[in-house]
Amino acid sequence: MQAAPVRATAIPSFTTALRAVESLLMSSGQRTARRNAWTSVLEDRRRAKDRVEAQRVLDQSLSHSLSARP
């Protein structure tokens, strides 16, 4: 019994396929603008998450310091 032949080319990922379609449909400037916008959205989400975490830490420390008072 012979082994199955090995594929010489990898199957593209979904992201790779989307980028290929995107490159056919959009000009380079539009692609760059869309990617920049998405990067900004992700960065805004990260900053919002950091703000929530900082507020939680401040609230905890405030409640701890108030409960520690005599």
Side-chain angles (χ1 to χ4, degrees), residues 10-64:
I11 297 173
S13 69
F14 185 71
T15 303
T16 304
L18 279 179
R19 286 196 175 153
V21 170
E22 175 190 60
S23 69
L24 293 172
L25 299 177
M26 294 180 160
S27 72
S28 149
Q30 288 173 324
R31 280 194 311 268
T32 301
R34 187 190 58 78
R35 286 190 185 136
N36 288 345
W38 182 243
T39 300
S40 294
V41 166
L42 295 177
E43 185 62 21
D44 288 346
R45 288 178 182 175
R46 187 195 61 76
R47 281 194 300 268
K49 183 178 173 187
D50 289 348
R51 278 193 303 273
V52 168
E53 178 64 15
Q55 187 63 50
R56 185 187 67 76
V57 169
L58 288 172
D59 291 345
Q60 272 185 339
S61 64
L62 179 61
S63 67
H64 179 69

